[in-house]
Amino acid sequence: MDLQEFLDHVDSGRLIEGESAAHEFMHAASQEALRTLAELNGAYRSPDEVRALLSRLTGRNVAESVTVFPPFYSEFGKNLTLGEGVFINMGCRFQDTGGISVGDGSLIGHGSTLTTLNHSMDPARRADMVPAPVVIGRNVWLGAGVTVVPGVTIGDGAIVGAGAVVTKDVPADTVAAGVPARVIRSTGFTAPSSV
């Protein structure tokens, strides 16, 4: 299995069966990501060096307008897309195997976790994983320590309060908070169409 075959597999939402070719590919690819992240997180890196390492991690060019404060963690890297003007604070963990997209101008608070894989409920099949992407729209603000679970979309201009656990979609231009997160009000603004 190659990278494109794997991405096609997970992007279609198909099961990653334990000990399958997809499972083995995922684990091998994670070793490459861990090597890159050890370099990123192991010493001071200039903003340009951080972006170069993120470009290696993701396999795509990361824009000059992107800022990431290490440490930053990702177990796969190759299914992560960062838009223009994205800011990711320290200590964030992105489990991007199932796909994470962060839209232009979005801010991710420190210690936030975005997850894209669920394990099987059946104990005999617990190694099986179901991928589901996380989509963060444009101009979204996730407060510190937010957790977003697989399959969630957060709409443009939304704000998610610190410590929230987001288990279902958050509409555009709303504020969500709590565990589990729920919409508590409108932001009173409409997200701009670009950064």
Side-chain angles (χ1 to χ4, degrees):
M1 176 168 277
D2 65 21
L3 177 60
Q4 191 56 56
E5 289 171 324
F6 181 80
L7 291 174
D8 290 343
H9 183 96
V10 295
D11 291 348
S12 71
R14 293 195 336 245
L15 184 71
I16 302 169
E17 293 184 43
E19 301 181 26
S20 67
H23 194 255
E24 290 176 14
F25 180 87
M26 179 184 71
H27 277 277
S30 71
Q31 295 307 304
E32 180 184 336
L34 292 171
R35 279 191 296 276
T36 300
L37 291 170
E39 196 173 334
L40 174 68
N41 296 327
Y44 170 76
R45 302 289 174 210
S46 72
D48 287 339
E49 290 171 322
V50 169
R51 282 187 292 276
L53 287 163
L54 289 171
S55 294
R56 183 194 315 162
L57 175 71
T58 63
R60 56 181 59 93
N61 185 47
V62 172
E64 274 189 51
S65 60
V66 169
T67 301
V68 174
F69 286 177
F72 174 77
Y73 304 98
S74 167
E75 97 300 1
F76 188 71
K78 298 294 193 265
N79 211 359
L80 172 59
T81 303
L82 303 175
E84 294 277 345
V86 165
F87 175 78
I88 301 171
N89 216 326
M90 293 185 285
C92 289
R93 297 168 299 275
F94 285 18
Q95 181 198 46
D96 68 293
T97 301
I100 294 175
S101 174
V102 181
D104 296 346
S106 288
L107 312 175
I108 311 294
H110 54 280
S112 291
T113 301
L114 281 59
T115 63
T116 64
L117 296 174
N118 273 322
H119 287 275
S120 173
M121 295 289 286
D122 179 353
R125 302 296 312 169
R126 195 61 46 87
D128 294 351
M129 288 171 276
V130 179
V134 166
V135 178
I136 307 297
R138 292 175 292 106
N139 301 298
V140 169
W141 174 21
L142 301 185
V146 168
T147 298
V148 181
V149 302
V152 167
T153 295
I154 299 177
D156 295 348
I159 298 170
V160 179
V165 177
V166 186
T167 60
K168 56 185 173 183
D169 293 352
V170 175
D173 304 315
T174 62
V175 177
V179 179
R182 63 180 181 80
V183 173
I184 57 174
R185 67 181 176 88
S186 167
T187 63
F189 299 94
T190 301
S193 59
S194 63
V195 176

